Amino acid sequence: MANFEGTPLVEGRFTLQKFEGKGGWTYIELPKIDSNQKRPFGWISVSGVIDEISFSRVKLMGMGNGNLMFSVNAKLRKRLRKEAGDAVDLKLIEDSYEQCVPEEIILCLKEEPSWVLDNFNGLPPNEKRKAVEKVLDAKNEEEKVDRIVSLIDKLSK
């Protein structure tokens, strides 16, 4: 298994499962993960490795029974060459946006008066994480630029 930095939330061998019916998701059911952090809808954002294939910024969703679900979409299954019933090695690390703000965002904030970056750094961790996720979730570079400009506007007020 590839090496990933940080203490794993989950590490082991798991079997791909599939919900019944047409269009049923393929997933890995994971045990409950305890954490002190409050998360919307109980989601946990993770990065990691599945059978030597790295991925980032995937949300684990609650299954309603206390366990979590790691969805394995068709594109990833194709790369893995695996389907429901097959076993995979999985290692998950919790994403930590509070500690890892992309350099492009920091550089844009540094081009503004120093108090704009101070305002960003002074945001509560959850708000800072949401701001970074919003920028990173842009569909293209133009949208990313627009979102960074919007963030700077909000921080400038």
Side-chain angles (χ1 to χ4, degrees):
M1 194 177 267
N3 188 19
F4 234 77
E5 290 187 36
T7 303
L9 290 173
V10 172
E11 184 172 20
R13 191 148 180 88
F14 297 90
T15 301
L16 296 177
Q17 300 177 51
K18 186 171 182 174
F19 287 115
E20 296 293 323
K22 184 177 179 179
W25 289 11
T26 302
Y27 65 96
I28 297 171
E29 186 169 354
L30 302 168
K32 181 179 180 180
I33 297 172
D34 291 323
S35 177
N36 296 339
Q37 297 182 19
K38 301 276 187 209
R39 296 181 177 88
F41 309 107
W43 290 343
I44 299 174
S45 182
V46 296
S47 294
V49 179
I50 183 169
D51 278 0
E52 303 296 328
I53 296 175
S54 298
F55 57 88
S56 61
R57 298 182 48 238
V58 172
K59 288 191 175 28
L60 303 179
M61 297 175 277
M63 294 190 68
N65 62 2
N67 290 345
L68 297 168
M69 175 178 69
F70 175 81
S71 179
V72 184
N73 64 29
K75 184 178 176 181
L76 181 55
R77 288 194 314 275
K78 185 174 182 178
R79 288 184 65 200
L80 292 167
R81 297 185 178 149
K82 297 201 175 173
E83 291 296 331
D86 293 332
V88 293
D89 291 314
L90 180 68
K91 182 176 183 179
L92 301 177
I93 307 296
E94 187 169 11
D95 285 340
S96 178
Y97 291 108
E98 295 81 31
Q99 298 170 2
C100 186
V101 177
E103 185 178 3
E104 65 188 319
I105 294 175
I106 297 296
L107 290 174
C108 290
L109 293 171
K110 285 183 175 180
E111 289 181 13
E112 301 299 317
S114 62
W115 52 268
V116 174
L117 180 58
D118 292 342
N119 287 349
F120 178 76
N121 289 330
L123 290 173
N126 194 41
E127 286 185 38
K128 188 185 292 187
R129 178 186 52 79
K130 285 179 184 179
V132 170
E133 282 181 346
K134 184 172 183 175
V135 170
L136 295 178
D137 287 342
K139 292 178 178 54
N140 55 49
E141 286 302 310
E142 183 178 336
E143 186 176 348
K144 186 182 281 187
V145 169
D146 289 344
R147 290 181 179 192
I148 291 172
V149 168
S150 176
L151 173 62
I152 290 170
D153 286 345
K154 287 178 185 175
L155 293 169
S156 296
K157 293 180 180 174

